[in-house]
Amino acid sequence: FFFYCRLGIVRMSRCVARVSLLVLSYEDALKFYCEVLDFEIKEDVLLGEDKRWVTIIPKNNGAGGGCEIVLIKAEGDAQRNAVGNQTADAVAMFLFTDDFQRDYANMKLRGVRFLEEPRTEPYGTVVVFKDLYGNHWDLIQPSDA
């Protein structure tokens, strides 16, 4: 199959297509990711009385490439206790942008909690923020963007 990545359209036999993220509520998660972080719903399919298949991607996600996030409603104590801390306070997700200042300013206006001031690293401009559950994310504009 063909996949769009930062290198252009390439033929790949393997790729990471989706990652899962535990949430307490589909509605709360969708409101945050779509209204605050400017993602869009790619799929939302009812699978049962209280279970859905929900995937989200950032708006303007290149040529449709990149990894999708599957929102999984936590079930049971173990999953509920892991919501917001799936990576033990390490950065869980990396949101790339082609305009750091635009996205950083928009996110600040929408009330996103940043854990630091933006900084420049050899790989680009970066800042760490928390999502609605406390998961840590990097907003990154790569050096070559």
Side-chain angles (χ1 to χ4, degrees), residues 2 7 11 16-17 19 36-37 42 54 56 59 62-63 65 74 86 90-91 95 98 106 109 112 117 121 141 145:
F2 292 92
L7 301 174
R11 182 168 170 72
V16 175
V19 295
V36 177
L37 295 189
K42 184 164 183 195
V54 179
I56 58 173
K59 285 184 182 171
Q86 287 181 239
V91 173
L95 179 59
D98 62 355
N106 286 337
L109 285 172
V112 171
E117 292 298 315
E121 297 290 348
Q141 180 173 350

Side-chain angles (χ1 to χ4, degrees), residues 3 17-18 30 34 39-45 53-58 61 63-71:
F3 182 74
R18 295 182 179 108
L30 288 171
C34 293
F39 279 59
E40 63 187 1
I41 299 168
K42 184 164 183 195
E43 296 178 88
D44 189 350
V45 179
W53 175 261
V54 179
T55 64
I56 58 173
I57 58 173
N61 196 27
C67 191
E68 298 173 16
I69 299 173
V70 181
L71 302 179

Side-chain angles (χ1 to χ4, degrees), residues 3 6-7 27 92-93 99 105 116 130:
F3 182 74
R6 293 181 59 210
L7 301 174
E27 290 72 26
M93 304 286 178
D99 188 337
E116 61 185 5
K130 287 186 175 189

